[in-house]
Every structure is written in structure tokens, then in C-alpha cells.
Amino acid sequence: MLFIGFILTLWPIIFVLLYIVLNHIAKPRHSVCIIVLGDLGRSPRMLYHAKSFAKEGYEVDLVGYSGSKLHEDIQINRRINRHYLLEPPIFVKYVPRLLAYVLKVFWQSTFLGLKLLILPKANYLLLQNPPSIPTMFVALSVCLLRGSILVTDWHNYGFTILALSLGSNHPLVRFSRWYEKFFGRFSRANICVTKAMREDLKTWGISAETLYDRPAELFQEATVDERHDLFSKLSLAYPIFGSRNERERDSTAFTYRSASGKIQYRNDRPALLVSSTSWTEDEDFGILLKSLQKYEVAASKDLQKGIPDILCVITGKGPQKEFYSQEIESIEWKHIHFCLPWLEAEDYPVLLGSADLGVCLHKSSSGLDLPMKVVDMFGCGLPVCAVHYPCLSELVKHGHSGLIFKNSQELCIQLQELLESFPDDLKTLKKMRCNLKSFQAIRWHDNWKRTVLPLLKQHKKDKKRRILCISASSTRREHFRFCLSAICKQLHATEYEGCQEGCQGGTHSKENNGVLFPWFMLLRETSCLISWPLDVFHLVKGTVINIRTS
């Protein structure tokens, strides 16, 4: 009985050790697990990753929350498996804010961790950041337990988004920044969205490759027939798209079917202005609203200039949508019409391809990311007026592919200049559309293959080198020396050349915080320390592991 009691006491430890050992022995599928702690349907960049991995022969596990409908090509792809997380309980919204945050993090950590541990082992865990809490810690823990390679795609910084509502000096924001910087260094490979972010990550000791967003193939300029079909479909739910003449059949506010049966544009159509927003603090819709009020005044005063009426379509969901909907309704409009739809995934690209001009109100919370909505607009050959912030010039070239404004007055002037004499004389818009042809030529997958695939292959080789360098003559002291050498490499203090060379020069540079050999970096090589006896086992057994001898 004593023996049985002893076994029962130790069985959790035995189970965990067996789980770790078996995961490090087991050869993973040619696969990747993509983690989005948010609505999968509203994470286009991660969905593009999924499609590209599937196209290159990987099995893909998508982990995130349900909500928005996914595009059909994701749903029917047999290589892409969707795994939805359980939403936090509703009562969390009704408790004090700090307690709600703690409960939410605990809930997400538990269910995300269990989901990742239950799924088949993957070669790579690709993590979207933000949000960073708790995904970074959970993903790192799973990688250490299972021997997967952690890859982080830096879209922005989570702490800067949190600072929008709490202020930069709030204790939770300061903790979030420390957390993001601390755990961000453990990722074996990093991708980011701009060169500016890549340089900023270097100050954290993180080396990243820039993968610019590029449009998917489905973002193209729409034909007149596609536009007519879309407007006819939308008019059923949003009458503003329908024809203003009830006697006309098979016509919309923009198009009509001629006597010959051919779809043609209406000469009296309004200009179609499109903006996509998440209705959050980092997108000031007030700028667009004020500029359209000024446009309304200008159009009423000077009708002979040919300033057209505008149908402003604003897509998206978010916390401020209801507030601005009421603001719009409280104003009397004669030359501006609004529509705030939520479109199906298949209709959004056609709407962009049918528009005359796009507006982007995105102001990066960090000043280091780029708006993907502009990428989608450019993919459809749609010129954009975008609000200025530091690194926007990496995407929007003022006067070439669009215009950049700083306030509502500048935006109003730009709208009048671009749309004057609409729809006949649009030289500036046509020139910008021609300039966008070169951007449209490079699509997401081509760009992804040039950047992400070589990065993953290189880190896979590095992982093999770490394993292969444990030769038959290696002692534990040599192995520990090897681990320290690998850590030096991650700290950018020395060039790693293998076990035999060790740490070249014997000196090590300090991190930003001034700590030499921070203890937490040892965790980064934990999976190597755990797995080296297993590699020796494979060697003895004659498996396919090439040991590099000294």
C-alpha cells in the first residue's frame, strides 16, 4: 500500500515527464500552429499566413475565437484546420475592471494552453502579437514542453494599445511593456510589419525580418458588371445603393442596364468614398466627419464647380460605432450620404474595387505599424487619403499612390481637388491608379515566400546544429558550454561557431538593462538541455541524426 501511495503521489510528475520526453522523441508533422487571441475572421494577415503555409504543403492549425465569417477559400482548404477557443464568461464584464482583466487572463491562459497541448505537435508555433498577455507566456511554455519553434509576428506593441485607454504611466501599461519585452526575446524567429519596427525591436535585443503586408489575389479592381451585382445585392439591405428612380428596373445609384442589355455607369452617380475602421481610439473618425461637414458647406455654396455628392461607406465593427452613428444622424446632410454596413468576406474586396477613393484614419498607437486596409485598397488599384504618422511613408507615397493629410481641413481640400468635375475629368486619380500597378504586381504569397520560408528554414537548420553539435565525445561540461555559446549568440554578444569554439573572445556585451548573462535567457535553451539525452538515444539506435564530430 505504501508503494501504491508513493506511485499515486508521483504520477502527475511522471505523467509530465513522459509527456515532455515523448514530445521531444516524436517527429512532428510538417505543420504549423497559428495562434490568434482574437476573432480569426478579423485577422487577415494571419489568415494569409495560413493560406501560404497550406500552399507550401504544411498542415495548418488555426487557433482563435469564432465570430466573423471566414473567407470560403479558408473554409474549404483541407490543409487548414480551425480550432475555436471558448469565450470568457459574460459575468466578467460586470466585475471591477482590474478583477475582470485578471479573470480574463486566467481564463484565456487555461483554455489556450490546454488547446495547444492537446493538438498534434507542430514544427512551428506562429504567434500574433498583440495581444501579448497571456499568449507569449503560454506559447513559450508549450514550445518548451513540446520542442516546437516559436515564431512571433509583430503587428504592433500591445502596451501602446493599452496606453490609449489607461495612459502611458499606468502600472498595468508599465507591466505590459516589461512583459512584452521580457518574453518577446524568447521567440526563435521574429517577423514584423515595417522597417521602423524592426529597428525598434533591435533596442529590445530582438532580431526580426520585415514582411510587408501585400494584398491577396482576390483584391482586384472590379468590372462594371461586378459593381452592378454588388450594388444590387447591397440595395436589398441598404436602400441608399438602390436607384433613386423607382421606374427604372435593374439599376442602382451607380449603374443601370441599357436597352441593349449592357451594364453602364450613370453620369449622375455620386462619388463612392470608402473607409474601413475598427472604431477604436487609434482611428479618429472625428477627422473624417469634420472634413465632410466642410465639404458639405463647399458643395452647397459652389455648385457650378462640379463637386459631386458623396456616398460615404464605412465598414467595420467597434466600440465607438454607435456614438458616431448618432453624431451622423444629428447633422443635416444634403450632399453627403452615409452607409455603415458589415459586409460578408466575399463582398468587401468587390466594394474596394468599386470605390472612387479610399480614406484611412488609422493612427498607429506605436507609430511603427502600417494599416492593412490601405494595402487592400492599393491591391484594388484604389488611391487613398491617409492621416499622417511617422512610418506611413513606407506604404503611402504622397502624390504618387495617394495623399497624406494632418487635419480635417487638409482632407477636405484633398477631397475637393480629387473629385472636382467628377465623373468626367479625374486626371489625378487616374494617374495614381496607374502608379499603383507596380504595387498590385507583387501579391502576398510571392512576398511571403521570399521572406518567411527562408527564415523558417534557417532556424530549422540552427535547431539541428544545436542537436548535432552534441557529439559522442561531448561531456556535460562541454554541453553546458555550448548552451552558453548559444545564449551569447541570442544576446548578439558573439558569433556562434559550435561547441568546439565556445564563446569567442571571452567578453559579453550588456543588454539594455545592464545585466550580464540574464538568468532568464537560460530558459531559452531548456528544450535543448532536456532533449540531449534523447538525441544520444537516437544516435545509439542508429536513427537519422548526423553528429558533427570535432
Side-chain angles (χ1 to χ4, degrees):
M1 289 297 293
L2 185 62
F3 177 75
I4 295 175
F6 181 73
I7 294 297
L8 290 175
T9 303
L10 290 180
W11 78 264
I13 300 173
I14 295 171
F15 175 80
V16 171
L17 290 175
L18 283 174
Y19 182 86
I20 295 172
V21 169
L22 291 175
N23 268 280
H24 281 269
I25 290 177
K27 184 179 180 181
R29 304 173 299 161
H30 190 57
S31 61
V32 60
C33 179
I34 298 176
I35 306 168
V36 179
L37 202 64
D39 186 346
L40 285 175
R42 298 175 69 182
S43 306
R45 182 175 167 100
M46 304 311 286
L47 296 180
Y48 291 170
H49 276 301
K51 289 192 285 187
S52 290
F53 273 112
K55 190 177 288 188
E56 294 301 317
Y58 284 80
E59 293 293 325
V60 180
D61 291 310
L62 267 176
V63 178
Y65 291 110
S66 60
S68 305
K69 183 182 176 182
L70 298 177
H71 200 274
E72 187 178 359
D73 56 358
I74 292 285
Q75 297 184 48
I76 64 175
N77 195 314
R78 294 183 178 180
R79 290 189 178 275
I80 300 177
N81 305 297
R82 302 179 301 281
H83 308 276
Y84 294 115
L85 299 170
L86 192 63
E87 293 274 3
I90 298 177
F91 77 83
V92 171
K93 298 179 181 178
Y94 303 104
V95 300
R97 190 170 185 175
L98 183 59
L99 178 60
Y101 188 77
V102 172
L103 291 174
K104 186 178 178 181
V105 168
F106 177 77
W107 180 278
Q108 291 175 332
S109 302
T110 302
F111 284 93
L112 177 61
L114 289 174
K115 180 69 73 174
L116 295 178
L117 292 173
I118 291 171
L119 287 176
K121 179 183 175 181
N123 293 95
Y124 305 100
L125 257 64
L126 177 58
L127 171 66
Q128 172 186 283
N129 184 69
S132 53
I133 300 174
T135 47
M136 281 186 166
F137 172 75
V138 174
L140 173 64
S141 301
V142 171
C143 285
L144 291 175
L145 288 172
R146 310 196 73 177
S148 299
I149 297 175
L150 179 59
V151 183
T152 302
D153 190 357
W154 297 79
H155 296 192
N156 202 347
Y157 294 143
F159 76 90
T160 62
I161 296 175
L162 196 60
L164 292 176
S165 56
L166 298 179
S168 57
N169 293 322
H170 193 279
L172 193 56
V173 174
R174 293 203 300 268
F175 169 78
S176 179
R177 185 181 188 278
W178 171 85
Y179 174 97
E180 204 163 356
K181 180 178 180 180
F182 180 90
F183 286 103
R185 299 174 186 171
F186 290 96
S187 182
R188 289 202 179 277
N190 294 277
I191 307 164
C192 62
V193 293
T194 62
K195 292 179 180 177
M197 180 171 279
R198 183 184 66 189
E199 294 304 312
D200 194 70
L201 284 170
K202 285 181 180 179
T203 65
W204 284 9
I206 297 172
S207 177
E209 291 290 332
T210 301
L211 174 66
Y212 282 122
D213 285 318
R214 287 286 173 170
E217 293 292 341
L218 53 91
F219 287 93
Q220 303 283 349
E221 187 171 353
T223 64
V224 64
D225 293 287
E226 290 173 334
R227 299 180 190 204
H228 181 76
D229 291 340
L230 175 67
F231 298 144
S232 298
K233 176 182 176 181
L234 292 177
S235 66
L236 299 176
Y238 309 100
I240 192 67
F241 286 96
S243 174
R244 292 165 190 169
N245 189 342
E246 295 180 357
R247 297 179 181 179
E248 292 180 345
R249 293 183 178 180
D250 199 11
S251 63
T252 70
F254 301 89
T255 56
Y256 70 98
R257 188 179 295 276
S258 65
S260 62
K262 187 178 180 181
I263 301 297
Q264 295 183 340
Y265 295 111
R266 305 180 68 97
N267 290 326
D268 61 344
R269 68 184 184 273
L272 181 55
L273 187 71
V274 174
S275 181
S276 177
T277 177
S278 56
W279 300 100
T280 53
E281 292 88 347
D282 65 344
E283 296 190 21
D284 187 1
F285 181 75
I287 294 177
L288 178 59
L289 193 60
K290 290 176 184 177
S291 68
L292 289 177
Q293 286 180 280
K294 294 172 183 177
Y295 183 97
E296 171 79 19
V297 173
S300 300
K301 285 183 177 179
D302 211 351
L303 296 174
Q304 72 273 14
K305 281 188 70 176
I307 300 176
D309 289 357
I310 289 178
L311 174 54
C312 182
V313 180
I314 306 162
T315 67
K317 292 180 180 179
Q320 295 185 345
K321 183 175 182 178
E322 186 62 30
F323 171 79
Y324 280 111
S325 296
Q326 294 175 2
E327 285 285 306
I328 291 170
E329 291 176 3
S330 67
I331 301 171
E332 184 179 350
W333 304 94
K334 292 182 178 179
H335 300 281
I336 312 289
H337 306 278
F338 288 88
C339 184
L340 279 62
W342 176 251
L343 300 175
E344 294 180 9
E346 290 79 9
D347 292 336
Y348 178 64
V350 184
L351 176 66
L352 295 186
S354 305
D356 299 299
L357 182 63
V359 174
C360 176
L361 304 170
H362 176 78
K363 278 187 174 180
S364 170
S365 61
S366 64
L368 299 172
D369 70 320
L370 294 173
M372 193 160 189
K373 64 198 74 177
V374 173
V375 175
D376 295 337
M377 291 176 183
F378 282 177
C380 295
L382 180 64
V384 172
C385 293
V387 65
H388 174 268
Y389 65 90
C391 72
L392 183 64
S393 58
E394 291 190 36
L395 177 61
V396 182
K397 309 297 180 185
H398 185 73
H400 180 81
S401 55
L403 297 176
I404 297 174
F405 60 90
K406 294 182 179 179
N407 51 54
S408 60
Q409 181 62 37
E410 288 186 8
L411 176 58
C412 179
I413 294 171
Q414 290 173 5
L415 292 178
Q416 293 180 57
E417 291 177 349
L418 292 173
L419 298 176
E420 187 176 354
S421 302
F422 182 90
D424 300 318
D425 187 13
L426 300 173
K427 291 181 181 178
T428 305
L429 284 177
K430 287 180 180 177
K431 182 180 178 181
M432 288 179 179
R433 286 184 182 272
C434 289
N435 293 338
L436 285 170
K437 295 294 183 183
S438 58
F439 185 93
Q440 292 177 283
I442 304 174
R443 295 288 165 166
W444 167 267
H445 187 67
D446 296 329
N447 195 39
W448 184 90
K449 281 180 68 175
R450 287 200 295 264
T451 306
V452 176
L453 275 188
L455 179 67
L456 297 184
K457 288 177 180 178
Q458 180 59 43
H459 280 273
K460 196 170 183 179
K461 288 179 181 178
D462 289 345
K463 183 178 180 181
K464 288 181 179 178
R465 282 183 74 187
R466 284 193 295 271
I467 295 173
L468 303 182
C469 280
I470 304 170
S471 61
S473 62
S474 295
T475 64
R476 287 192 179 185
R477 184 176 64 183
E478 288 172 327
H479 178 62
F480 184 70
R481 184 185 176 194
F482 157 72
C483 289
L484 292 181
S485 177
I487 293 170
C488 291
K489 180 196 175 187
Q490 302 300 341
L491 292 174
H492 307 286
T494 184
E495 289 296 323
Y496 165 65
E497 296 296 341
C499 289
Q500 306 307 317
E501 288 82 4
C503 300
Q504 301 292 333
T507 58
H508 311 283
S509 63
K510 291 186 178 181
E511 279 291 324
N512 300 336
N513 55 10
V515 179
L516 283 171
F517 275 113
W519 61 268
F520 60 83
M521 292 304 293
L522 287 168
L523 293 175
R524 192 163 185 171
E525 296 303 321
T526 299
S527 59
C528 183
L529 287 167
I530 292 172
S531 63
W532 76 266
L534 305 176
D535 301 321
V536 174
F537 168 77
H538 280 302
L539 174 65
V540 174
K541 209 174 176 187
T543 53
V544 196
I545 293 182
N546 299 316
I547 302 300
R548 204 177 81 180
T549 56
S550 54

